[in-house]
Amino acid sequence: MLRTSLTFILLTIIFSSQKPKKNGVKDLFKESFYIGVAVNGQQVSGKEAGALPLIEEHFNSLSPENGLKWSLVHPKPEVYSFDFGDAYVALGEKMDAFTIGHCLVWHQQVPNWVFENESGEPLDKDKLLARMEDHIQTVAGRYKGKIDGWDVVNEVFNEDGTFRESKWYQIAGKDFIKNAFRKAYEVDPAAELYYNDYNVWKASKRAGILKLAKEMKAEGIRVDAIGMQGHYTLGGPSLDEIEKGIIEIAEAGFKVVITELDVDVLPRPNNSEGADLNINFANSPEYNPFVNGISPEAEAKLAQRYADLFQLFQKHKDKITRVTLWGLHDGKSWLNNFPVRGRTNYPLLFDRDLKLKEDVFAKLKVVSKQ
Ligand code: XIL
């Protein structure tokens, strides 16, 4: 008798500890859109203490912060490195998460050899496109059926809507963009395909993006959604500007994905709006005011900014399929090093001790019920 009830108690404990928890951020918005998080290698492998349980509890979509970018996954012509990618998609499968690939073609984090022949001279257009397509074949092909959506092309426009003069563009013109989408579709037609950029809220930049996206659509090239990265600050861009972006993208016939959301709470040097990685300033106390903790005013503003942003996303849930945070917690955010190196920033939903910011969460709860 005693034994039976002990077994019963034990089984109840085991069973209830295995039940998926239903009070995460993802559960607040489960009727609206996926809630994603960008993860790094330490988190995927479970080496960062405490991170993995939070990822599983609060998120139902994953993005790879760096590990699938060209220079990491394909560092040398004949060398591919799939350790991160394999562990990453395995985690995605285990969590039954909507798993994103980021990114197939970008001007950053891409080795110089990609654009050169063996003698170090610039490749011609056909060879560059063949190399790009081969890369897409190998990477997207390996994860076919395991990655649900790809950022196919990242950041190819300037702020005024003209094409960025990257090596891709200098050698291949805009054809590299079209070929990348065509190839990604050929390799994995079941995956969603995205064009992703920062400052999509800016009308001039968005005009260039949507012109090209519509042109591709008219030519039968599939583009499912436009990724608005969402690297915002406490003060800008305005909700109105972001909303115009969401509405215009939807009107042009594309879904919206908020792909890299974070809120910079620190002062920004002039001309550092957005997420252009070429911008980098040296540290100084003026730009690093919260080394020993965020001020109560900034903390309150952060909670309100997140509430306002999610209220806007919630209002447009018919257009938005996913909102992804660019990192799990403040301690690992790229905004500790961009656009000024070595700062103490507070841009995410979890603090440096991996604690959910309760004031943000309380506000999101209210917004999610509206
Ligand atoms: C960032 C990563 O977060 C950093 O760790 C890395 O050093 C640089 O890239 N736009 C993008 C992301 O599309 O891939 C960038 O991620 C941030 C800006």
Side-chain angles (χ1 to χ4, degrees):
M1 179 63 189
L2 184 64
R3 211 173 182 190
T4 327
S5 36
L6 274 179
T7 317
F8 178 74
I9 291 168
L10 205 65
L11 279 177
T12 316
I13 291 170
I14 292 172
F15 191 69
S16 58
S17 70
Q18 283 181 344
K19 251 200 269 170
K21 294 189 189 146
K22 293 275 180 230
N23 49 6
V25 181
K26 67 174 170 27
D27 301 298
L28 297 180
F29 296 99
K30 65 175 182 301
E31 308 297 336
S32 304
F33 29 69
Y34 289 111
I35 299 290
V37 60
V39 292
N40 62 35
Q42 295 281 310
Q43 292 162 347
V44 164
S45 64
K47 283 188 192 134
E48 186 184 330
L52 213 41
L54 291 181
I55 291 168
E56 298 190 56
E57 184 178 344
H58 290 279
F59 301 95
N60 50 19
S61 174
L62 296 178
S63 291
E65 185 175 1
N66 285 300
L68 287 182
K69 292 171 182 173
W70 194 311
S71 59
L72 289 114
V73 78
H74 189 183
K76 296 198 178 120
E78 304 306 328
V79 179
Y80 280 90
S81 171
F82 289 121
D83 291 352
F84 171 85
D86 291 358
Y88 169 74
V89 296
L91 176 63
E93 283 190 317
K94 179 176 163 242
M95 285 174 57
D96 198 19
F98 195 83
T99 305
I100 303 302
H102 171 83
C103 47
L104 293 169
V105 182
W106 192 24
H107 65 286
Q108 296 283 1
Q109 293 178 279
V110 56
N112 285 335
W113 63 258
V114 171
F115 307 97
E116 295 166 357
N117 64 19
E118 294 86 51
S119 335
E121 291 149 359
L123 277 192
D124 65 31
K125 177 174 172 176
D126 288 349
K127 291 219 173 72
L128 179 63
L129 291 181
R131 184 167 279 175
M132 178 190 82
E133 288 169 23
D134 195 53
H135 174 85
I136 294 174
Q137 177 72 56
T138 308
V139 180
R142 184 176 181 95
Y143 298 123
K144 183 175 174 164
K146 295 184 174 161
I147 283 199
D148 300 298
W150 272 106
D151 287 336
V152 179
V153 174
N154 202 27
E155 303 180 355
V156 298
F157 285 95
N158 295 316
E159 302 302 277
D160 65 358
T162 57
F163 287 102
R164 181 190 292 278
E165 284 286 328
S166 66
K167 288 188 189 159
W168 291 111
Y169 187 73
Q170 280 164 0
I171 297 175
K174 67 180 174 184
D175 284 351
F176 82 90
I177 305 165
K178 297 184 177 183
N179 282 34
F181 275 93
R182 271 200 210 96
K183 186 67 187 179
Y185 177 71
E186 181 195 311
V187 173
D188 191 353
E192 291 185 353
L193 305 177
Y194 315 125
Y195 174 77
N196 190 49
D197 215 327
Y198 59 87
N199 291 354
V200 182
W201 55 268
K202 224 181 243 182
S204 52
K205 187 166 193 173
R206 190 170 62 245
I209 295 171
L210 290 181
K211 181 164 179 274
L212 177 75
K214 284 193 223 168
E215 189 178 309
M216 290 201 278
K217 206 175 197 186
E219 289 170 22
I221 302 170
R222 214 185 76 201
V223 179
D224 295 291
I226 305 299
M228 301 177 83
Q229 288 186 2
H231 295 296
Y232 301 141
T233 69
L234 284 181
S238 72
L239 294 175
D240 192 45
E241 283 165 316
I242 302 171
E243 180 167 38
K244 279 199 185 110
I246 296 169
I247 291 172
E248 236 186 69
I249 293 168
E251 280 173 357
F254 304 96
K255 287 282 182 193
V256 176
V257 276
I258 309 295
T259 53
E260 305 183 14
L261 182 61
D262 45 25
V263 177
D264 189 348
V265 306
L266 299 178
R268 282 261 175 140
N270 287 338
N271 305 321
S272 65
E273 174 187 77
D276 185 344
L277 292 187
N278 291 324
I279 298 171
N280 214 274
F281 295 85
N283 199 338
S284 75
E286 183 197 350
Y287 289 122
N288 198 15
F290 301 144
V291 186
N292 298 316
I294 186 171
S295 70
E297 295 78 29
E299 195 170 25
K301 279 190 192 157
L302 178 74
Q304 193 54 48
R305 181 73 162 146
Y306 266 115
D308 292 345
L309 287 166
F310 272 85
Q311 191 170 38
L312 179 67
F313 301 153
Q314 188 63 345
K315 178 174 170 196
H316 294 290
K317 62 184 179 198
D318 58 326
K319 308 173 187 67
I320 298 174
T321 56
R322 169 171 57 94
V323 178
T324 290
L325 278 297
W326 201 243
L328 177 64
H329 66 92
D330 291 343
K332 289 286 160 68
S333 166
W334 78 300
L335 290 177
N336 293 309
N337 290 301
F338 174 88
V340 180
R341 291 180 294 276
R343 295 198 295 179
T344 308
N345 214 332
Y346 301 81
L348 294 167
L349 300 185
F350 291 82
D351 68 18
R352 286 177 165 68
D353 298 323
L354 274 71
K355 290 231 167 54
L356 183 59
K357 296 180 185 173
E358 286 304 336
D359 51 345
V360 179
F361 190 62
K363 283 194 174 356
L364 292 190
K365 243 186 208 162
V366 175
V367 164
S368 70
K369 295 198 181 96
Q370 289 169 352

